Amino acid sequence: MPLFNPQQQPFQNLIQNGDMVIAQRGTSFAAVANADYNLDRWSVRYVTTAVTTVSQSADVPSFALCGQLFQSSLQVEVTTADAAVAAADVYTLRQTVEGYNFAPQAGRPLVARFAVRSSVIGVYSFACRNSIADRSYVGEFTIDVADTWEYKIVPIVASPSAGTWNYTNGIGLNVTVCLMSGANLQTAPNLWTAGNFLASPSQANALATVGNIFRMTGFWVGPSDGPQQFISRDFATELALCQRYYEKTFD
């Protein structure tokens, strides 16, 4: 029996607002603070002297690259640089997956697929961690050409039973994309490791120069034998999913 029903493929994606369309809080966040949310379901987590503006951008990858039309991307622009990375420094874009949503995929091989564009070439890190970050998985992807949209696929080994996992209404899985990391948060890639890690030792520093820009969209994390490209849920459904975590009222 196949792992998923083709009619339910959009719901295999653990990521919500992966196409970066929903922005209830606003579309631009200057000098965004650590742990602040920006586009729905996405937040920044950092320890750095760098300052960034996070915004919703209309710069998107081509249909030919992704096989789907996108309207928005999540953009990080460096307004104050941090070229001297200390051991404890880090900058990530993060989404937490609720335990109820992660539970059906726990213990299965997964894959992350997304489109990305950066001013800085080199190796970047994608990471998954459990609820209290005592188990971490780091995968790598490479920006080959500066300021050019590229499509990336990062395999994720099946999550282990060891460690502390939440399969109810807490954090089931932390999903992060790392733009910079010091040595304290680095580990060998492609395996689950005991501890809290967010990057590989090859991690690039996208925050080293003022004006650097990093963009991503079409974010999918789901079964490794699932769809080969991003599949959107309808807008009303995606908005309702986001409203579970943030709801805005109007006059």
PDB file of all heavy atoms in Angstrom, residues 198-225:
ATOM      1  N   LEU A 198      22.676  22.991  14.570  1.00  0.00           N
ATOM      2  CA  LEU A 198      21.926  23.674  13.522  1.00  0.00           C
ATOM      3  C   LEU A 198      22.655  23.766  12.194  1.00  0.00           C
ATOM      4  O   LEU A 198      22.069  24.201  11.197  1.00  0.00           O
ATOM      5  CB  LEU A 198      21.580  25.098  13.985  1.00  0.00           C
ATOM      6  CG  LEU A 198      20.574  25.178  15.142  1.00  0.00           C
ATOM      7  CD1 LEU A 198      20.605  26.556  15.788  1.00  0.00           C
ATOM      8  CD2 LEU A 198      19.178  24.852  14.644  1.00  0.00           C
ATOM      9  N   ALA A 199      23.927  23.372  12.158  1.00  0.00           N
ATOM     10  CA  ALA A 199      24.705  23.567  10.935  1.00  0.00           C
ATOM     11  C   ALA A 199      25.830  22.540  10.862  1.00  0.00           C
ATOM     12  O   ALA A 199      26.192  21.893  11.845  1.00  0.00           O
ATOM     13  CB  ALA A 199      25.287  24.976  10.893  1.00  0.00           C
ATOM     14  N   SER A 200      26.379  22.422   9.660  1.00  0.00           N
ATOM     15  CA  SER A 200      27.567  21.606   9.461  1.00  0.00           C
ATOM     16  C   SER A 200      28.810  22.500   9.559  1.00  0.00           C
ATOM     17  O   SER A 200      28.711  23.726   9.482  1.00  0.00           O
ATOM     18  CB  SER A 200      27.519  20.920   8.094  1.00  0.00           C
ATOM     19  OG  SER A 200      27.954  21.816   7.082  1.00  0.00           O
ATOM     20  N   PRO A 201      29.982  21.900   9.693  1.00  0.00           N
ATOM     21  CA  PRO A 201      31.204  22.709   9.755  1.00  0.00           C
ATOM     22  C   PRO A 201      31.500  23.484   8.467  1.00  0.00           C
ATOM     23  O   PRO A 201      32.353  24.373   8.473  1.00  0.00           O
ATOM     24  CB  PRO A 201      32.302  21.667  10.022  1.00  0.00           C
ATOM     25  CG  PRO A 201      31.589  20.533  10.681  1.00  0.00           C
ATOM     26  CD  PRO A 201      30.243  20.480  10.021  1.00  0.00           C
ATOM     27  N   SER A 202      30.787  23.170   7.382  1.00  0.00           N
ATOM     28  CA  SER A 202      31.018  23.850   6.102  1.00  0.00           C
ATOM     29  C   SER A 202      30.123  25.068   5.908  1.00  0.00           C
ATOM     30  O   SER A 202      30.164  25.696   4.842  1.00  0.00           O
ATOM     31  CB  SER A 202      30.783  22.863   4.953  1.00  0.00           C
ATOM     32  OG  SER A 202      31.639  21.752   5.048  1.00  0.00           O
ATOM     33  N   GLN A 203      29.324  25.402   6.913  1.00  0.00           N
ATOM     34  CA  GLN A 203      28.328  26.464   6.781  1.00  0.00           C
ATOM     35  C   GLN A 203      28.914  27.792   6.299  1.00  0.00           C
ATOM     36  O   GLN A 203      29.899  28.296   6.845  1.00  0.00           O
ATOM     37  CB  GLN A 203      27.636  26.683   8.132  1.00  0.00           C
ATOM     38  CG  GLN A 203      26.693  27.870   8.186  1.00  0.00           C
ATOM     39  CD  GLN A 203      25.449  27.688   7.333  1.00  0.00           C
ATOM     40  OE1 GLN A 203      24.858  26.618   7.316  1.00  0.00           O
ATOM     41  NE2 GLN A 203      25.053  28.723   6.614  1.00  0.00           N
ATOM     42  N   ALA A 204      28.277  28.378   5.272  1.00  0.00           N
ATOM     43  CA  ALA A 204      28.652  29.707   4.780  1.00  0.00           C
ATOM     44  C   ALA A 204      28.143  30.783   5.737  1.00  0.00           C
ATOM     45  O   ALA A 204      27.308  30.523   6.608  1.00  0.00           O
ATOM     46  CB  ALA A 204      28.055  29.918   3.389  1.00  0.00           C
ATOM     47  N   ASN A 205      28.625  31.989   5.551  1.00  0.00           N
ATOM     48  CA  ASN A 205      28.148  33.147   6.322  1.00  0.00           C
ATOM     49  C   ASN A 205      27.471  34.127   5.378  1.00  0.00           C
ATOM     50  O   ASN A 205      28.135  34.921   4.705  1.00  0.00           O
ATOM     51  CB  ASN A 205      29.295  33.832   7.062  1.00  0.00           C
ATOM     52  CG  ASN A 205      28.826  35.033   7.877  1.00  0.00           C
ATOM     53  OD1 ASN A 205      27.619  35.267   8.021  1.00  0.00           O
ATOM     54  ND2 ASN A 205      29.761  35.793   8.403  1.00  0.00           N
ATOM     55  N   ALA A 206      26.137  34.078   5.346  1.00  0.00           N
ATOM     56  CA  ALA A 206      25.379  34.961   4.463  1.00  0.00           C
ATOM     57  C   ALA A 206      25.198  36.349   5.056  1.00  0.00           C
ATOM     58  O   ALA A 206      24.613  37.223   4.413  1.00  0.00           O
ATOM     59  CB  ALA A 206      24.014  34.343   4.168  1.00  0.00           C
ATOM     60  N   LEU A 207      25.699  36.561   6.287  1.00  0.00           N
ATOM     61  CA  LEU A 207      25.521  37.842   6.972  1.00  0.00           C
ATOM     62  C   LEU A 207      26.805  38.661   7.023  1.00  0.00           C
ATOM     63  O   LEU A 207      26.902  39.637   7.750  1.00  0.00           O
ATOM     64  CB  LEU A 207      25.006  37.615   8.396  1.00  0.00           C
ATOM     65  CG  LEU A 207      23.502  37.373   8.575  1.00  0.00           C
ATOM     66  CD1 LEU A 207      23.053  36.105   7.881  1.00  0.00           C
ATOM     67  CD2 LEU A 207      23.137  37.311  10.049  1.00  0.00           C
ATOM     68  N   ALA A 208      27.799  38.282   6.219  1.00  0.00           N
ATOM     69  CA  ALA A 208      29.120  38.892   6.328  1.00  0.00           C
ATOM     70  C   ALA A 208      29.215  40.286   5.724  1.00  0.00           C
ATOM     71  O   ALA A 208      30.130  41.039   6.058  1.00  0.00           O
ATOM     72  CB  ALA A 208      30.161  37.987   5.676  1.00  0.00           C
ATOM     73  N   THR A 209      28.275  40.638   4.834  1.00  0.00           N
ATOM     74  CA  THR A 209      28.366  41.902   4.117  1.00  0.00           C
ATOM     75  C   THR A 209      27.018  42.596   4.074  1.00  0.00           C
ATOM     76  O   THR A 209      25.988  41.935   3.799  1.00  0.00           O
ATOM     77  CB  THR A 209      28.858  41.669   2.672  1.00  0.00           C
ATOM     78  OG1 THR A 209      30.109  40.967   2.718  1.00  0.00           O
ATOM     79  CG2 THR A 209      29.029  42.976   1.930  1.00  0.00           C
ATOM     80  N   VAL A 210      26.996  43.900   4.323  1.00  0.00           N
ATOM     81  CA  VAL A 210      25.768  44.686   4.211  1.00  0.00           C
ATOM     82  C   VAL A 210      25.244  44.591   2.772  1.00  0.00           C
ATOM     83  O   VAL A 210      26.003  44.702   1.812  1.00  0.00           O
ATOM     84  CB  VAL A 210      26.015  46.153   4.592  1.00  0.00           C
ATOM     85  CG1 VAL A 210      24.800  47.012   4.266  1.00  0.00           C
ATOM     86  CG2 VAL A 210      26.356  46.260   6.071  1.00  0.00           C
ATOM     87  N   GLY A 211      23.942  44.375   2.659  1.00  0.00           N
ATOM     88  CA  GLY A 211      23.315  44.274   1.352  1.00  0.00           C
ATOM     89  C   GLY A 211      23.132  42.854   0.868  1.00  0.00           C
ATOM     90  O   GLY A 211      22.426  42.629  -0.129  1.00  0.00           O
ATOM     91  N   ASN A 212      23.745  41.887   1.551  1.00  0.00           N
ATOM     92  CA  ASN A 212      23.511  40.496   1.177  1.00  0.00           C
ATOM     93  C   ASN A 212      22.027  40.169   1.309  1.00  0.00           C
ATOM     94  O   ASN A 212      21.359  40.611   2.256  1.00  0.00           O
ATOM     95  CB  ASN A 212      24.310  39.546   2.062  1.00  0.00           C
ATOM     96  CG  ASN A 212      25.760  39.450   1.657  1.00  0.00           C
ATOM     97  OD1 ASN A 212      26.166  40.009   0.639  1.00  0.00           O
ATOM     98  ND2 ASN A 212      26.562  38.752   2.446  1.00  0.00           N
ATOM     99  N   ILE A 213      21.538  39.354   0.388  1.00  0.00           N
ATOM    100  CA  ILE A 213      20.120  38.970   0.392  1.00  0.00           C
ATOM    101  C   ILE A 213      20.003  37.463   0.252  1.00  0.00           C
ATOM    102  O   ILE A 213      20.712  36.839  -0.550  1.00  0.00           O
ATOM    103  CB  ILE A 213      19.348  39.680  -0.736  1.00  0.00           C
ATOM    104  CG1 ILE A 213      19.224  41.175  -0.428  1.00  0.00           C
ATOM    105  CG2 ILE A 213      17.959  39.076  -0.936  1.00  0.00           C
ATOM    106  CD1 ILE A 213      18.533  41.984  -1.501  1.00  0.00           C
ATOM    107  N   PHE A 214      19.103  36.888   1.036  1.00  0.00           N
ATOM    108  CA  PHE A 214      18.787  35.461   0.991  1.00  0.00           C
ATOM    109  C   PHE A 214      17.280  35.330   0.824  1.00  0.00           C
ATOM    110  O   PHE A 214      16.522  35.963   1.560  1.00  0.00           O
ATOM    111  CB  PHE A 214      19.240  34.779   2.290  1.00  0.00           C
ATOM    112  CG  PHE A 214      18.988  33.304   2.339  1.00  0.00           C
ATOM    113  CD1 PHE A 214      19.974  32.404   1.970  1.00  0.00           C
ATOM    114  CD2 PHE A 214      17.759  32.807   2.756  1.00  0.00           C
ATOM    115  CE1 PHE A 214      19.745  31.031   2.022  1.00  0.00           C
ATOM    116  CE2 PHE A 214      17.517  31.450   2.808  1.00  0.00           C
ATOM    117  CZ  PHE A 214      18.514  30.550   2.440  1.00  0.00           C
ATOM    118  N   ARG A 215      16.854  34.542  -0.140  1.00  0.00           N
ATOM    119  CA  ARG A 215      15.422  34.334  -0.364  1.00  0.00           C
ATOM    120  C   ARG A 215      15.120  32.844  -0.470  1.00  0.00           C
ATOM    121  O   ARG A 215      15.951  32.065  -0.953  1.00  0.00           O
ATOM    122  CB  ARG A 215      14.952  35.024  -1.646  1.00  0.00           C
ATOM    123  CG  ARG A 215      15.123  36.533  -1.671  1.00  0.00           C
ATOM    124  CD  ARG A 215      14.518  37.134  -2.934  1.00  0.00           C
ATOM    125  NE  ARG A 215      14.700  38.574  -2.992  1.00  0.00           N
ATOM    126  CZ  ARG A 215      15.634  39.196  -3.711  1.00  0.00           C
ATOM    127  NH1 ARG A 215      16.474  38.474  -4.457  1.00  0.00           N
ATOM    128  NH2 ARG A 215      15.735  40.509  -3.716  1.00  0.00           N
ATOM    129  N   MET A 216      13.902  32.455  -0.061  1.00  0.00           N
ATOM    130  CA  MET A 216      13.473  31.068  -0.236  1.00  0.00           C
ATOM    131  C   MET A 216      11.957  31.011  -0.389  1.00  0.00           C
ATOM    132  O   MET A 216      11.230  31.875   0.104  1.00  0.00           O
ATOM    133  CB  MET A 216      13.924  30.195   0.932  1.00  0.00           C
ATOM    134  CG  MET A 216      13.307  30.526   2.271  1.00  0.00           C
ATOM    135  SD  MET A 216      13.963  29.443   3.577  1.00  0.00           S
ATOM    136  CE  MET A 216      12.813  29.808   4.912  1.00  0.00           C
ATOM    137  N   THR A 217      11.490  29.969  -1.076  1.00  0.00           N
ATOM    138  CA  THR A 217      10.055  29.733  -1.237  1.00  0.00           C
ATOM    139  C   THR A 217       9.841  28.286  -1.693  1.00  0.00           C
ATOM    140  O   THR A 217      10.810  27.538  -1.910  1.00  0.00           O
ATOM    141  CB  THR A 217       9.432  30.723  -2.241  1.00  0.00           C
ATOM    142  OG1 THR A 217       8.007  30.670  -2.122  1.00  0.00           O
ATOM    143  CG2 THR A 217       9.840  30.411  -3.682  1.00  0.00           C
ATOM    144  N   GLY A 218       8.585  27.897  -1.813  1.00  0.00           N
ATOM    145  CA  GLY A 218       8.257  26.547  -2.253  1.00  0.00           C
ATOM    146  C   GLY A 218       8.757  25.486  -1.291  1.00  0.00           C
ATOM    147  O   GLY A 218       9.233  24.425  -1.702  1.00  0.00           O
ATOM    148  N   PHE A 219       8.609  25.747   0.008  1.00  0.00           N
ATOM    149  CA  PHE A 219       9.221  24.884   1.018  1.00  0.00           C
ATOM    150  C   PHE A 219       8.331  23.675   1.319  1.00  0.00           C
ATOM    151  O   PHE A 219       7.179  23.814   1.722  1.00  0.00           O
ATOM    152  CB  PHE A 219       9.459  25.677   2.304  1.00  0.00           C
ATOM    153  CG  PHE A 219      10.756  25.344   2.965  1.00  0.00           C
ATOM    154  CD1 PHE A 219      11.884  26.112   2.746  1.00  0.00           C
ATOM    155  CD2 PHE A 219      10.858  24.242   3.793  1.00  0.00           C
ATOM    156  CE1 PHE A 219      13.087  25.799   3.362  1.00  0.00           C
ATOM    157  CE2 PHE A 219      12.044  23.920   4.401  1.00  0.00           C
ATOM    158  CZ  PHE A 219      13.176  24.691   4.192  1.00  0.00           C
ATOM    159  N   TRP A 220       8.897  22.498   1.125  1.00  0.00           N
ATOM    160  CA  TRP A 220       8.188  21.233   1.342  1.00  0.00           C
ATOM    161  C   TRP A 220       9.034  20.329   2.227  1.00  0.00           C
ATOM    162  O   TRP A 220      10.224  20.131   1.973  1.00  0.00           O
ATOM    163  CB  TRP A 220       7.939  20.546  -0.009  1.00  0.00           C
ATOM    164  CG  TRP A 220       7.437  19.141   0.082  1.00  0.00           C
ATOM    165  CD1 TRP A 220       8.163  18.013   0.372  1.00  0.00           C
ATOM    166  CD2 TRP A 220       6.093  18.686  -0.110  1.00  0.00           C
ATOM    167  NE1 TRP A 220       7.354  16.910   0.379  1.00  0.00           N
ATOM    168  CE2 TRP A 220       6.087  17.295   0.082  1.00  0.00           C
ATOM    169  CE3 TRP A 220       4.904  19.344  -0.444  1.00  0.00           C
ATOM    170  CZ2 TRP A 220       4.925  16.536  -0.049  1.00  0.00           C
ATOM    171  CZ3 TRP A 220       3.761  18.579  -0.569  1.00  0.00           C
ATOM    172  CH2 TRP A 220       3.763  17.207  -0.374  1.00  0.00           C
ATOM    173  N   VAL A 221       8.438  19.779   3.280  1.00  0.00           N
ATOM    174  CA  VAL A 221       9.073  18.723   4.069  1.00  0.00           C
ATOM    175  C   VAL A 221       8.035  17.615   4.218  1.00  0.00           C
ATOM    176  O   VAL A 221       6.968  17.827   4.804  1.00  0.00           O
ATOM    177  CB  VAL A 221       9.536  19.214   5.453  1.00  0.00           C
ATOM    178  CG1 VAL A 221      10.112  18.041   6.260  1.00  0.00           C
ATOM    179  CG2 VAL A 221      10.574  20.320   5.320  1.00  0.00           C
ATOM    180  N   GLY A 222       8.328  16.457   3.657  1.00  0.00           N
ATOM    181  CA  GLY A 222       7.355  15.371   3.691  1.00  0.00           C
ATOM    182  C   GLY A 222       8.001  14.046   3.340  1.00  0.00           C
ATOM    183  O   GLY A 222       9.237  13.922   3.326  1.00  0.00           O
ATOM    184  N   PRO A 223       7.183  13.022   3.064  1.00  0.00           N
ATOM    185  CA  PRO A 223       7.708  11.677   2.800  1.00  0.00           C
ATOM    186  C   PRO A 223       8.702  11.662   1.646  1.00  0.00           C
ATOM    187  O   PRO A 223       8.514  12.361   0.643  1.00  0.00           O
ATOM    188  CB  PRO A 223       6.447  10.875   2.440  1.00  0.00           C
ATOM    189  CG  PRO A 223       5.315  11.648   3.017  1.00  0.00           C
ATOM    190  CD  PRO A 223       5.712  13.082   2.970  1.00  0.00           C
ATOM    191  N   SER A 224       9.733  10.862   1.791  1.00  0.00           N
ATOM    192  CA  SER A 224      10.753  10.806   0.755  1.00  0.00           C
ATOM    193  C   SER A 224      10.219  10.230  -0.546  1.00  0.00           C
ATOM    194  O   SER A 224      10.780  10.491  -1.618  1.00  0.00           O
ATOM    195  CB  SER A 224      11.952   9.981   1.241  1.00  0.00           C
ATOM    196  OG  SER A 224      11.550   8.665   1.568  1.00  0.00           O
ATOM    197  N   ASP A 225       9.136   9.461  -0.482  1.00  0.00           N
ATOM    198  CA  ASP A 225       8.527   8.926  -1.708  1.00  0.00           C
ATOM    199  C   ASP A 225       7.264   9.701  -2.077  1.00  0.00           C
ATOM    200  O   ASP A 225       6.424   9.218  -2.833  1.00  0.00           O
ATOM    201  CB  ASP A 225       8.211   7.441  -1.567  1.00  0.00           C
ATOM    202  CG  ASP A 225       7.275   7.130  -0.402  1.00  0.00           C
ATOM    203  OD1 ASP A 225       6.998   8.063   0.397  1.00  0.00           O
ATOM    204  OD2 ASP A 225       6.825   5.982  -0.278  1.00  0.00           O
TER     205      ASP A 225
END
